Amino acid sequence: NAGVTQTPKFRVLKTGQSMTLLCAQDMNHEYMYWYRQDPGMGLRLIHYSVGEGTTAKGEVPDGYNVSRLKKQNFLLGLESAAPSQTSVYFCASSYSAFGDEQYFGPGTRLTVT
Amino acid sequence: RKEVEQDPGPFNVPEGATVAFNCTYSNSASQSFFWYRQDCRKEPKLLMSVYSSGNEDGRFTAQLNRASQYISLLIRDSKLSDSATYLCVVTLGPPSGTYKYIFGTGTRLKVLA
């Protein structure tokens, strides 16, 4: 039982490049989330999904897109990376709505130069 | 005013000491409360939920004060392994508004030998 996994663990991009971060969970959770964590800012919600085929915007969605084609996977895309997107990205999942415990993946450290 | 506020610390305490952190929140309609622990360069993990009646788990005690709008975490007999950042989480949802899972920026604890 791996829980929540994320790939890649580290990535360096040049400004303007694109990439996709993959999140997978094996707990059969309905809800999945993408956060970014920056020093002094705490965790901020980018996008979330309440079930397969659904996505919704969080607090800081600009510059990111997401897809949830399968229940166990939640993808985060950066179409044209900017230095302001340098951050640590965490994926999380939960069984039910926002009032439930969230299980986090190990994170992806992204640097945009 | 921030929705959730924590003293960033660091709190430097000797082994065996008792230490307490507070976390204040601004929305009186907040519904659920949690404490997460985050080790350096790792993902957040749930430490404990905070119930209206308080919650104790071994050396850890969490309490909620709705009148003054804060939650607290008390750690007794601190261990070196307790060194981490402690994040408080406050949730909001219908009928008060859309679902939100709001993280504080964290309080850093260092337990010294």
Side-chain angles (χ1 to χ4, degrees):
Chain A
N1 197 347
V4 180
T5 57
Q6 291 182 234
T7 52
K9 288 187 169 48
F10 305 92
R11 186 72 187 268
V12 178
L13 287 179
K14 290 187 179 352
T15 297
Q17 287 184 319
S18 63
M19 77 165 294
T20 300
L21 282 67
L22 172 63
C23 175
Q25 53 96 2
D26 61 3
M27 296 175 282
N28 202 33
H29 285 168
E30 290 291 339
Y31 291 73
M32 297 188 74
Y33 315 85
W34 275 107
Y35 292 92
R36 60 177 290 173
Q37 186 174 37
D38 303 290
M41 301 290 288
L43 283 149
R44 292 182 292 168
L45 184 65
I46 304 170
H47 286 281
Y48 65 97
S49 168
V50 302
E52 182 179 314
T54 75
T55 63
K57 293 180 180 180
E59 182 186 354
V60 288
D62 294 341
Y64 305 95
N65 56 74
V66 287
S67 64
R68 182 108 181 260
L69 299 178
K70 293 183 179 180
K71 185 177 183 178
Q72 62 268 35
N73 295 338
F74 195 28
L75 277 62
L76 178 71
L78 285 73
E79 290 185 346
S80 179
S84 60
Q85 294 178 304
T86 293
S87 187
V88 180
Y89 291 86
F90 287 104
C91 175
S93 70
S94 64
Y95 179 71
S96 63
F98 280 64
D100 202 5
E101 173 184 0
Q102 293 190 5
Y103 295 81
F104 284 80
T108 295
R109 295 186 175 275
L110 175 66
T111 302
V112 183
T113 61
Chain B
R1 182 183 172 188
K2 285 185 181 179
E3 293 179 289
V4 177
E5 292 198 73
Q6 294 184 254
D7 183 335
F11 284 57
N12 296 321
V13 302
E15 267 188 296
T18 296
V19 61
F21 314 130
N22 282 345
C23 167
T24 58
Y25 59 94
S26 60
N27 192 325
S28 60
S30 298
Q31 297 172 334
S32 301
F33 307 88
F34 304 92
W35 283 103
Y36 278 73
R37 170 193 170 127
Q38 186 173 25
D39 293 305
C40 189
R41 301 178 76 83
K42 298 286 189 181
E43 72 273 23
K45 292 184 180 178
L46 181 69
L47 179 66
M48 57 200 308
S49 303
V50 188
Y51 305 121
S52 297
S53 56
N55 189 20
E56 186 172 320
D57 183 3
R59 298 182 292 108
F60 298 84
T61 301
Q63 292 191 314
L64 166 64
N65 186 317
R66 281 198 181 270
S68 300
Q69 293 184 204
Y70 72 88
I71 62 172
S72 63
L73 179 67
L74 180 79
I75 306 174
R76 290 181 295 277
D77 188 23
S78 298
K79 312 289 185 193
L80 293 174
S81 57
D82 294 334
S83 297
T85 297
Y86 292 84
L87 309 174
C88 72
V89 172
V90 172
T91 74
L92 290 165
S96 307
T98 55
Y99 284 114
K100 292 178 80 173
Y101 205 85
I102 308 163
F103 284 85
T105 53
T107 297
R108 192 168 168 210
L109 171 66
K110 285 183 171 182
V111 181
L112 308 171

